[in-house]
Amino acid sequence: MSKELKTGREEKKTKYTAPIADIYETESEYIITMDMPGVDKNGIEITLDNNELSIMGTLENPMETENLKHAEYRLYDYRRTFRVGDDINGNSINAVMEDGVLTLNLPKKDEVKPRKIEITVA
Amino acid sequence: MITTFDIFDDVLKLRDMVDTFFRDTPSAGNRPYDFPYVNIFEKDDKLDLRAVLPGIKKEDLKIELNDRTLTISGERKNTCTDRPCIRRERSFGSFSRTFRLPYSVKGESISAQLKNGILTISLEKSDEAKPKRIEIR
């Protein structure tokens, strides 16, 4: 019985939502914005492993279900993985968490940025 | 009881099942509720509304109570209009949603808090809405 209860809890733990995201590209960087309501900045974990950028978000407070009378949504921890190209400078990724929205700035490597070539007149 | 068996009955049933599945499955643009989605909690005389509003600033949000109707309205501003978008899943724009409360609430004790994209509105039942005991003389 107790074993059953335990496994039930573990199953619950493995539920995730894939947060919805927008991706923008500029000359110098990629910007990913993701909706992760209920997560504060301490609950965010970002890892870049080879070409896989994974974002995990843990809810600050697990969703309460006690006294719930009308439900339209459910909150789970968030998890989403993006495959990124080789043109990203992995060391200078910047992340900002604000109002439940995570903004990631992925700067491009200098080699791929457009360059202006000065013409020197001899 | 004698029933006739029609080989197509099951086929039609299956078609209905598929139709129901596609019609009722919540997907983007086909949600049974309007934005923002809310969860309502009720305990004793307290009513809590929790709405998911990621990326919305306090200044862009308006909450109005009019007798027994509560309206949440505002605008979700697109912060990246000037940049080319290569993937778009989130939506922006103005929204408004009105709720009819089950009873009148104390206007002066309403509190609202916006944290991590979740808006919590706490309401309390007004004294007029509470059950009254009538003394028999």
Side-chain angles (χ1 to χ4, degrees):
Chain A
M1 179 67 185
S2 66
K3 202 184 167 190
E4 260 178 46
L5 281 172
K6 206 177 162 216
T7 50
R9 196 170 298 143
E10 274 163 9
E11 271 167 29
K12 225 183 229 172
K13 248 285 175 226
T14 54
K15 272 200 175 174
Y16 292 101
T17 316
I20 52 167
D22 284 349
I23 305 172
Y24 302 91
E25 185 183 358
T26 67
E27 280 179 358
S28 58
E29 60 179 358
Y30 291 98
I31 300 146
I32 305 178
T33 49
M34 301 171 97
D35 285 352
M36 295 167 104
V39 179
D40 81 340
K41 75 174 204 301
N42 303 318
I44 297 284
E45 207 182 295
I46 303 156
T47 46
L48 181 68
D49 183 20
N50 292 321
N51 286 343
E52 280 205 352
L53 176 76
S54 37
I55 295 121
M56 296 260 300
T58 313
L59 293 175
E60 196 186 13
N61 303 304
M63 206 185 105
E64 290 168 48
T65 44
E66 208 185 326
N67 304 319
L68 186 61
K69 288 289 147 71
H70 170 83
E72 296 177 356
Y73 66 89
R74 234 167 199 293
L75 296 178
Y76 295 110
D77 290 344
Y78 299 91
R79 189 155 81 172
R80 189 157 177 181
T81 306
F82 294 96
R83 190 163 283 271
V84 294
D86 292 324
D87 55 344
I88 282 162
N89 185 355
N91 297 322
S92 51
I93 294 175
N94 186 39
V96 179
M97 187 71 191
E98 199 184 10
D99 302 317
V101 177
L102 177 74
T103 307
L104 280 174
N105 290 70
L106 312 164
K108 290 185 187 173
K109 282 180 184 160
D110 289 335
E111 301 95 275
V112 294
K113 282 183 194 166
R115 250 177 304 177
K116 202 173 176 181
I117 294 145
E118 295 288 328
I119 302 162
T120 46
V121 182
Chain B
M1 195 172 87
I2 300 161
T3 53
T4 51
F5 175 75
D6 187 344
I7 194 164
F8 293 109
D9 277 359
D10 285 340
V11 179
L12 289 173
K13 218 185 271 169
L14 180 71
R15 189 198 63 185
D16 289 347
M17 267 170 70
V18 173
D19 282 353
T20 320
F21 176 80
F22 283 107
R23 195 182 53 231
D24 299 345
T25 305
S27 60
N30 185 25
R31 291 290 297 240
Y33 305 108
D34 287 340
F35 182 88
Y37 306 136
V38 296
N39 276 359
I40 300 171
F41 297 79
E42 189 185 19
K43 198 187 183 218
D44 303 328
D45 290 337
K46 294 213 163 69
L47 203 63
D48 268 21
L49 251 92
R50 257 172 239 175
V52 243
L53 295 158
I56 290 154
K57 299 252 175 263
K58 199 172 78 184
E59 303 83 55
D60 298 329
L61 201 60
K62 201 169 89 184
I63 304 160
E64 264 183 338
L65 179 77
N66 188 350
D67 190 24
R68 269 172 65 187
T69 56
L70 185 81
T71 305
I72 304 171
S73 60
E75 196 189 347
R76 193 179 185 198
K77 283 182 185 151
N78 191 345
T79 45
C80 294
T81 41
D82 51 335
R83 285 171 270 196
C85 186
I86 53 176
R87 186 181 190 94
R88 175 171 294 265
E89 292 169 3
R90 300 157 76 231
S91 49
F92 303 95
S94 48
F95 59 87
S96 174
R97 199 171 166 192
T98 305
F99 303 91
R100 177 125 176 99
L101 301 173
Y103 38 72
S104 61
V105 292
K106 281 183 190 165
E108 69 278 12
S109 70
I110 298 175
S111 69
Q113 193 201 10
L114 186 65
K115 199 184 173 204
N116 297 331
I118 294 180
L119 173 76
T120 308
I121 306 173
S122 306
L123 308 156
E124 208 179 317
K125 201 189 260 188
S126 69
D127 291 327
E128 297 92 74
K130 281 180 189 167
K132 270 185 231 52
R133 199 194 163 97
I134 293 139
E135 294 289 331
I136 303 160
R137 283 190 284 182

